[in-house]
Amino acid sequence: DAMVIQNPRYQVTQFGKPVTLSCSQTLNHNVMYWYQQKSSQAPKLLFHYYDKDFNNEADTPDNFQSRRPNTSFCFLDIRSPGLGDAAMYLCATSPRKYQETQYFGPGTRLLVL
Amino acid sequence: QQQVKQSPQSLIVQKGGISIINCAYENTAFDYFPWYQQFPGKGPALLIAIRPDVSEKKEGRFTISFNKSAKQFSLHIMDSQPGDSATYFCAASMGYSGAGSYQLTFGKGTKLSVIP
């Protein structure tokens, strides 16, 4: 089945230790999004890619970076995780420009010790 | 102005009953209103969506009612089933935001529990 896959599903890291979360998709969608969702809160958009064009939200901390080496894969790098970065990180895709529907992966839950 | 306010935060409904979740927005530039369903351990999945040019959209047991003048929209789940127990998010988008994307503004979610 075509889908959005996120690995790992659970990630534990130490305060200040860099961590990378990954997202892959078999949908061949052009647009990929990264969201942060804290407990009992709405998902918050961090950034997105249209093809290889990277677009950062204005309030996304510099501590968060992203890479998209090809259409299928997208990575979220947290350079120096703080306790406040503990959250569920959701990857989503959208087929192309002018398409509003977003397809979400299952998320990666990040714990910072 | 970018907020979407969702209520209630949690909802308990008996099997067979009607579940109603409400959302309100301020920004009149919003023109696309989806509802997402999220089960524990899963990502949100699109359930149903509406545009402001219609007042109601129905898909199976799920109906969106939209009141443009009041800037409110709601999700109705008829004949609620235990399998509907999940967190529901409303969202809004103000159209193409450039750079290939549509930005969604989410409500905070409603945890629905349908008891047998």
Side-chain angles (χ1 to χ4, degrees):
Chain A
D1 286 342
M3 56 176 51
V4 181
I5 302 161
Q6 290 188 246
N7 286 306
R9 296 294 310 279
Y10 299 91
Q11 175 74 57
V12 181
T13 190
Q14 291 180 327
F15 182 93
K17 186 175 180 181
V19 66
T20 295
L21 310 181
S22 76
C23 176
S24 63
Q25 51 124 342
T26 59
L27 299 163
N28 203 32
H29 286 177
N30 282 122
V31 191
M32 294 187 79
Y33 301 83
W34 277 106
Y35 288 86
Q36 179 192 63
Q37 185 180 23
K38 295 188 175 180
S39 182
S40 302
Q41 294 187 20
K44 178 182 179 297
L45 183 64
L46 295 173
F47 25 59
H48 77 273
Y49 279 92
Y50 172 64
D51 203 6
K52 291 190 176 181
D53 292 333
F54 176 72
N55 298 273
N56 203 27
E57 292 305 301
D59 57 354
T60 298
D62 292 339
N63 199 25
F64 291 84
Q65 303 286 319
S66 184
R67 297 170 282 134
R68 189 179 185 186
N70 54 53
T71 300
S72 301
F73 285 88
C74 195
F75 299 98
L76 170 61
D77 300 307
I78 308 177
R79 292 191 297 188
S80 181
L83 298 179
D85 296 328
M88 175 77 83
Y89 289 88
L90 294 164
C91 175
T93 71
S94 205
R96 57 193 175 274
K97 274 187 181 182
Y98 314 122
Q99 168 56 265
E100 292 150 317
T101 304
Q102 295 185 21
Y103 300 86
F104 284 82
T108 294
R109 184 164 294 283
L110 178 68
L111 182 63
V112 182
L113 302 178
Chain B
Q1 264 215 329
Q2 285 292 93
Q3 276 189 323
V4 176
K5 294 183 180 178
Q6 184 172 348
S7 63
Q9 192 174 351
S10 64
L11 180 62
I12 299 174
V13 173
Q14 284 213 307
K15 180 182 174 181
I18 302 173
S19 305
I20 302 174
I21 304 170
N22 300 299
C23 284
Y25 63 97
E26 290 293 325
N27 192 339
T28 55
F30 286 140
D31 67 354
Y32 173 72
F33 301 89
W35 284 88
Y36 280 83
Q37 180 188 55
Q38 185 175 26
F39 292 105
K42 305 278 189 182
L46 179 66
L47 191 61
I48 187 173
I50 198 169
R51 296 191 186 279
D53 53 345
V54 296
S55 59
E56 186 175 281
K57 183 174 182 180
K58 186 175 181 179
E59 289 184 4
R61 296 185 294 109
F62 301 92
T63 300
I64 300 179
S65 296
F66 187 84
N67 186 329
K68 190 173 180 178
S69 59
K71 292 184 282 187
Q72 294 175 346
F73 58 109
S74 59
L75 177 69
H76 296 236
I77 306 175
M78 311 299 286
D79 187 25
S80 299
Q81 299 297 312
D84 297 330
S85 298
T87 298
Y88 292 81
F89 292 95
C90 63
S93 169
M94 63 175 117
Y96 185 60
S97 54
S101 76
Y102 283 89
Q103 183 168 347
L104 291 174
T105 300
F106 285 89
K108 290 192 172 185
T110 296
K111 187 173 182 180
L112 172 66
S113 299
V114 181
I115 53 177

